[in-house]
Amino acid sequence: MVSESAVPVAANDFARQWLDIRDDAIGAVERVGASGWLILGEEVREFEREFAAWWGVDHAIGVASGLDAIEIALRAAGIEPGRRVLTTPLTAFATTLAILRAGCEPVWCDVDESGGLDLGLADIALRDDPTIAALVPVHLYGHPLDPDALRRLAAEHGILVIEDCAQSAGAERDGSPTGVAGAAGATSLYPTKNLGAMGDGGVILTDDEALAERARSLRDYGQAGRYEHVEAGLNSRLDELQAAILRSALLPRLDGFLACRAVIAARYEAGLRGTSLRPITAVVGRSAHHLFPVEVTAGDPLEVAARLREAGIGVGRHYPFVCPDQRAVAGIGISLGELAVARRLATRELSLPIHPYLEEDEVEAVLAACVEVCG
Ligand SMILES: *Cc1c(COP(=O)(O)O)cnc(C)c1O
């Protein structure tokens, strides 16, 4: 039997967030409305300035999504269509899709026990195939990969590194944030992310002035100046409304959000000891705790997920399929080896609810259900 006292615990709760941010968000909408300026104006410029300062980079370029941020970063860094790009099979499909959209061929190599790309295997892959032009590692779950190892791979193999930081806003390792080891980072402002807009958005992060300028052009039809189109760009602009809400209501709360996530993660880690749910944790450094992934080490993961859901727990799966198995890439891309660890985690991973508006009694309800089902 699962607990009778089950309270539904949602994976995310944007209605609760609204109660908290309402006044600031309405003020931001009012400001944009009164300004009469709706696209690429003061709000986007100021958000980019404030977010770059928060992240610790020279330039932030607001775009329409995390997917676009990766594609534009690859193109702005000069990765030509037709080139091979090494990446992880265990991620949101958007990572692979961005590589395809940049006209490149994805090459997937396996992950390690933290869920992130195995950088030792990446080293071997890059040595074996000198035609690989770039690496797109993902700081999956918010766990930071080793920035020195990424820098070494870039230098030793002469490749460009574009980091997928969609889940890692706030992560830190060796005193630096993610996204700064290579040419650029790309993050997502999708509502569930650590810094989520009230809709879609993404940001390219870089210290490279020329890359930043090309990214600004690519997001706006590839214009150099008005009506002067120097390459085939996208329409991928962050809205003034989203930028204003981010600036006034969300970015000022981000450090608090991250602190809440860290408290919940610590409680889960302690409370799951002795259960058959193994927290998939960061090896080194400070995770941004975008997700709280666990590996189901005993029993059928789908049955465990079903029982936890019956107990009202909004469990997720990140991700149930590895990218190369998706029909969208049938016959496309190269898988290196069996991708055994990625496949095992894809089968056995569950995500427990973790978001800034989760209440203490809900965290305890999640743990009680986990102990009951997997104790
Ligand atoms: C969310 C996410 C993306 C895509 O971001 P969107 O804003 O939804 O396009 C890419 N990569 C990872 C790892 C993500 O989690």
Side-chain angles (χ1 to χ4, degrees):
M1 269 300 290
V2 284
S3 29
E4 328 69 53
S5 63
V7 280
V9 183
N12 286 288
D13 197 328
F14 299 112
R16 270 185 209 169
Q17 176 174 275
W18 179 246
L19 293 178
D20 179 25
I21 70 168
R22 187 177 186 282
D23 289 353
D24 295 328
I26 298 236
V29 172
E30 173 65 32
R31 204 166 65 232
V32 172
S35 81
W37 196 282
L38 303 181
I39 298 286
L40 293 188
E42 196 59 21
E43 299 291 346
V44 168
R45 268 194 304 279
E46 281 302 302
F47 168 69
E48 289 175 340
R49 199 182 54 72
E50 290 164 15
F51 192 50
W54 182 88
W55 199 290
V57 290
D58 290 346
H59 308 280
I61 301 98
V63 296
S65 70
L67 167 68
D68 285 2
I70 304 167
E71 175 192 341
I72 291 172
L74 282 165
R75 292 180 61 186
I79 304 299
E80 302 283 343
R83 303 305 302 269
R84 287 184 176 159
V85 177
L86 185 65
T87 191
T88 171
L90 189 67
T91 177
F93 189 68
T95 311
T96 281
L97 188 50
I99 293 168
L100 295 177
R101 291 265 308 266
C104 298
E105 183 183 21
V107 181
W108 299 280
C109 90
D110 208 358
V111 303
D112 63 26
E113 294 298 326
S114 73
L117 196 65
D118 185 323
L119 298 183
L121 289 178
D123 189 25
I124 295 167
L126 291 165
R127 205 184 53 214
D128 289 349
D129 185 353
T131 71
I132 295 172
L135 171 66
V136 178
V138 180
H139 303 283
L140 194 71
Y141 310 135
H143 302 347
L145 294 165
D146 181 354
D148 289 333
L150 293 176
R151 282 190 196 95
R152 260 198 316 277
L153 291 177
E156 281 173 21
H157 302 285
I159 54 148
L160 281 166
V161 174
I162 304 292
E163 295 171 62
D164 181 341
C165 303
Q167 303 188 357
S168 64
E172 205 181 284
R173 184 156 166 176
D174 302 337
S176 75
T178 60
V180 300
T187 194
S188 165
L189 303 170
Y190 185 77
T192 63
K193 302 296 162 79
N194 289 5
L195 178 66
M198 291 186 71
D200 278 305
V203 185
I204 296 144
L205 304 150
T206 186
D207 288 332
D208 182 333
E209 169 113 47
L211 192 157
E213 196 176 321
R214 191 165 173 196
R216 286 205 169 86
S217 167
L218 280 168
R219 78 171 166 187
D220 196 22
Y221 315 129
Q223 296 182 95
R226 204 157 178 219
Y227 302 130
E228 187 201 343
H229 298 268
V230 293
E231 60 182 322
L234 295 78
N235 174 349
S236 182
R237 301 172 296 231
L238 181 66
D239 287 329
E240 284 285 279
L241 268 177
Q242 293 299 346
I245 293 169
L246 285 158
R247 281 184 67 206
S248 298
L250 295 157
L251 185 53
R253 289 177 168 83
L254 179 51
D255 288 328
F257 288 167
L258 291 165
C260 291
R261 288 177 181 276
V263 167
I264 297 164
R267 179 69 194 109
Y268 280 161
E269 271 182 48
L272 289 174
R273 257 173 231 137
T275 71
S276 54
L277 299 177
R278 171 185 80 90
I280 303 170
T281 55
V283 185
V284 186
R286 190 179 75 200
S287 177
H289 298 296
H290 170 58
L291 296 167
F292 193 88
V294 296
E295 182 182 359
V296 180
T297 60
D300 176 0
L302 290 181
E303 200 183 305
V304 170
R307 291 189 62 197
L308 289 172
R309 287 190 187 120
E310 259 168 56
I313 312 303
V315 295
R317 295 182 66 198
H318 298 88
Y319 291 85
F321 306 106
V322 294
C323 293
D325 287 355
Q326 297 285 356
R327 254 171 57 200
V329 287
I332 298 173
I334 302 166
S335 290
L336 300 175
E338 298 300 313
L339 310 176
V341 181
R343 288 180 191 285
R344 195 191 81 229
L345 292 177
T347 312
R348 307 204 71 91
E349 187 274 349
L350 300 180
S351 302
L352 302 183
I354 187 165
H355 65 81
Y357 294 94
L358 209 56
E359 307 273 353
E360 223 173 287
D361 62 336
E362 293 175 310
V363 172
E364 295 310 318
V366 171
L367 283 173
C370 288
V371 168
E372 203 159 316
V373 175
C374 301

